[in-house]
């Protein structure tokens, strides 16, 4: 069974050549990879340079990396005055190295810190293409890669300075080698390069986000071993060489952080962050089992409908080793995260390449078969859903900023037209025929949403507006405190020395001497601030008020600026 699958899926060059002449992808082979990369850039680049830092996670990672660059401490990440131990060091190192390579230091703009995520997303898609070619043939591999690249969740993660896109690249690298080992002919060894890729990607993944990718690989292996009742193929991974490689990547920092911070990192990262998310819904992100499945149909748009349409083919081919590998990749990992209490859509992202591969293989495998009405309606529904959703972008801009943008409206009309075209193609020819329209629609949605609409929603980005308001202070470079808004974007835009606290603390801070001080006080902290100021015999004067949306909790917020001037001390300010 495995040798037949290898011939038909991974090595069947003659079969693929016949299929290409008999109705393969219309794009010439030499143009497919360049066009795929251009498509990825069209999906990932809009907004990368223009969207301000986003609360909550991106701002935390980006600010910690900037403080690492400013302090020169590359062992202990910090956010403001606190240590940042929720995740390991890997992403901070990658972001800091990128900034240094481009000539930036502690004031690096957020787009620089987003470049590792952009690279990770592109690598993940190209790795999915490589796996697809090996498992199912070139055409299915390109379809899978395009679906992953077009997915809404990856287009978001590619432009956020956080862990998940680069973790996905590591996960795909690990699974690529696992696929090669699993489908290899009996006795066929892996070369040294794939072995080093497997263990190296595993080590980097641990440094980026801890046990997630090892969990993915372990569940995949366990499912395959249980299903096949054979484990001999695992020896080709050469753990005697690989385990020391992973240890060499991971252990130096673990030892360094232990020497500097004791067990604090392990207590926070494992005890509070990891195990806490398993037991309870942290930061109001709890949801019942099944929430990830429901989110999939939005997060994997436009490919989710096509994946559902390919399900009958997957079922009939479930005993095929290449299909079995993808099922072992996706299903156990997905089940684990459905059972975890805390749920965010990106938690199941490492399983998405497997679903994209199954979708690509199913679409290509069913290309000569009439599509059932339900599959055509699903694909058509994805196209119409994108068309309807496109008008949410200009609508949101009007609701938040009372502004109609002609470019956003024109793009919404284009997306609607592509949706109508895709709907007709789906009904007449099936999901595969609708695929080009859906991919063009996805790229247009990325341009409209991230390139045009989001950068113009000023009220959603309070940090830059607070920084602009601070320029009205009657003294340069005042010490700053913010009461009632403690998101990391405050530190990113106002400086790492910015104090965070409540209204009473803001009044104390404003009354303290020496030097010029400024406080932003939220409306919820205003009464406390005023009462404490009265106790101190102060009568602070408001300079201006900034009103917007705290996007971390989706709540409107007003922050009033108060300033106190004093005689600056001699010498540096403590």
């Amino acid at each position: 069974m495995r040798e037949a699958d290898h011939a038909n899926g991974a090595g069947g060059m003659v079969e693929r050549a016949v299929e290409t002449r008999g109705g393969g992808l219309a794009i010439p082979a030499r143009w497919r990879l360049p066009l795929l990369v251009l498509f990825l850039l069209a999906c990932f680049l809009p907004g990368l340079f223009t969207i301000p830092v986003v609360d909550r996670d991106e701002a935390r990672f980006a600010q910690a990396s900037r403080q690492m660059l400013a302090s020169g401490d590359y062992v202990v990440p910090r956010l403001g005055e606190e240590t940042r131990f929720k995740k390991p060091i890997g992403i901070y190192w990658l972001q800091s190295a990128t900034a240094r390579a481009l000539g930036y230091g502690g004031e690096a703009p957020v787009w620089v810190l987003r470049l590792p995520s952009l690279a990770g997303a592109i690598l993940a898609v190209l790795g999915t293409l490589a796996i697809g070619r090996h498992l199912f043939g070139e055409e299915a591999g390109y379809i899978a890669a395009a679906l992953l690249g077009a997915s809404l969740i990856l287009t978001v993660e590619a432009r956020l300075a956080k862990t998940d896109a680069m973790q996905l690249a590591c996960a795909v690298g690990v699974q690529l080698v696992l696929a090669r080992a699993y489908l290899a002919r009996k006795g066929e060894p892996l070369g040294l390069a794939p072995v080093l890729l497997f263990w190296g990607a595993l080590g980097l993944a641990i440094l980026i986000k801890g046990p997630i990718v090892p969990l993915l690989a372990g569940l995949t292996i366990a499912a395959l071993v249980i299903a096949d009742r054979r484990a001999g193929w695992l020896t080709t991974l050469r753990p005697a060489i690989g385990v020391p490689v992973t240890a060499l990547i991971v252990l130096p920092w673990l030892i360094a952080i232990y020497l500097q911070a004791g067990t604090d990192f392990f207590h926070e990262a494992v005890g509070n962050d990891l195990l806490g998310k398993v037991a309870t819904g942290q930061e109001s992100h709890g949801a019942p089992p099944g929430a990830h499945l429901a989110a999939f149909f939005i997060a994997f748009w436009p490919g989710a409908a096509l994946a559902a349409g390919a399900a009958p083919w997957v079922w009939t081919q479930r005993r095929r080793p290449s299909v079995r590998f993808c099922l072992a990749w996706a299903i156990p990992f997905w089940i684990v995260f459905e059972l975890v209490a805390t749920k965010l859509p990106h938690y199941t992202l490492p399983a998405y390449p497997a679903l994209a591969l199954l979708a690509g293989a199913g679409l290509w495998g069913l290309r000569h078969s009439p599509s059932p009405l339900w599959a055509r309606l699903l694909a058509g529904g994805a196209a119409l859903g994108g068309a309807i959703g496109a008008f949410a972008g200009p609508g949101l801009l009007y609701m938040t900023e009372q502004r109609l943008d002609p470019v956003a409206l024109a793009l919404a009309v284009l997306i609607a037209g592509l949706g109508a075209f895709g709907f007709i193609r789906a009904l007449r020819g099936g999901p595969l025929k609708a695929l080009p329209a859906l991919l063009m629609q996805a790229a247009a949605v990325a341009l409209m949403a991230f390139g045009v609409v989001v950068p113009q929603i000023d009220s959603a980005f309070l940090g830059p507006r607070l920084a602009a308001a601070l320029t009205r202070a009657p003294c340069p470079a005042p010490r700053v405190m913010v009461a009632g808004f403690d998101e990391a974007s405050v530190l990113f835009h106002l400086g790492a020395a910015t104090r965070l606290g409540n209204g009473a603390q803001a009044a104390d801070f404003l009354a303290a001497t020496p030097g010029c001080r400024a406080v932003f006080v939220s409306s919820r902290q205003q009464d406390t601030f005023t009462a404490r100021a009265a106790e101190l015999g102060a009568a602070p004067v408001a300079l201006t008020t900034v009103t917007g949306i705290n996007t971390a909790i989706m709540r409107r917020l007003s922050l009033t600026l108060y300033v106190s001037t004093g005689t600056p001390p001699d010498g540096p300010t403590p």
Side-chain angles (χ1 to χ4, degrees), residues 7 19 89 104 159-160 344 367 384 390 411 415 509 555:
E19 294 294 355
I89 200 69
Y104 291 96
R159 51 176 55 80
L160 291 178
L344 286 169
R367 66 195 179 281
L384 288 183
L411 286 170
I415 294 165
F509 179 85
R555 179 181 294 167

Side-chain angles (χ1 to χ4, degrees), residues 421-449:
F421 177 68
F423 179 77
I424 294 170
R425 293 283 288 175
L427 288 186
R428 290 181 176 177
L432 190 59
K433 294 293 185 182
L435 179 61
L438 287 169
L439 295 179
M440 289 188 288
Q441 203 180 20
V445 166
L447 176 60
M448 186 267 293

Side-chain angles (χ1 to χ4, degrees), residues 341-523:
T342 303
K343 289 183 174 65
L344 286 169
H346 62 262
Y347 286 2
T348 51
L349 181 58
Y352 278 46
L355 301 174
L357 288 164
L358 293 173
L363 287 172
W364 189 247
L366 294 169
R367 66 195 179 281
H368 297 311
S369 303
S371 298
L373 178 61
W374 64 268
R376 286 180 280 149
L377 288 174
L378 274 176
L384 288 183
I388 296 170
F391 289 97
L396 180 63
L397 186 58
Y398 181 78
M399 290 172 58
T400 56
E401 306 299 319
Q402 289 73 54
R403 182 168 64 246
L404 283 176
D405 184 84
V407 177
L409 285 172
L411 286 170
V413 171
L414 172 63
I415 294 165
L418 289 170
F421 177 68
F423 179 77
I424 294 170
R425 293 283 288 175
L427 288 186
R428 290 181 176 177
L432 190 59
K433 294 293 185 182
L435 179 61
L438 287 169
L439 295 179
M440 289 188 288
Q441 203 180 20
V445 166
L447 176 60
M448 186 267 293
F450 304 114
V452 178
V453 172
V454 174
Q456 296 188 65
I457 304 179
D458 296 333
S459 59
F461 302 102
L462 284 164
R465 299 174 67 207
L466 295 180
L470 196 59
T471 61
R472 300 183 60 176
C475 54
R479 302 188 206 181
V480 185
M481 184 172 188
V482 179
F485 180 51
D486 57 359
E487 298 299 334
S489 61
V490 170
L491 304 178
F492 192 90
H493 289 286
L494 301 185
T498 302
R499 300 277 298 276
L500 304 175
N502 57 36
Q505 291 169 332
D508 290 336
F509 179 85
L510 195 64
T513 56
C516 174
R517 294 168 182 259
V519 297
F520 288 95
V521 181
S522 75
S523 55

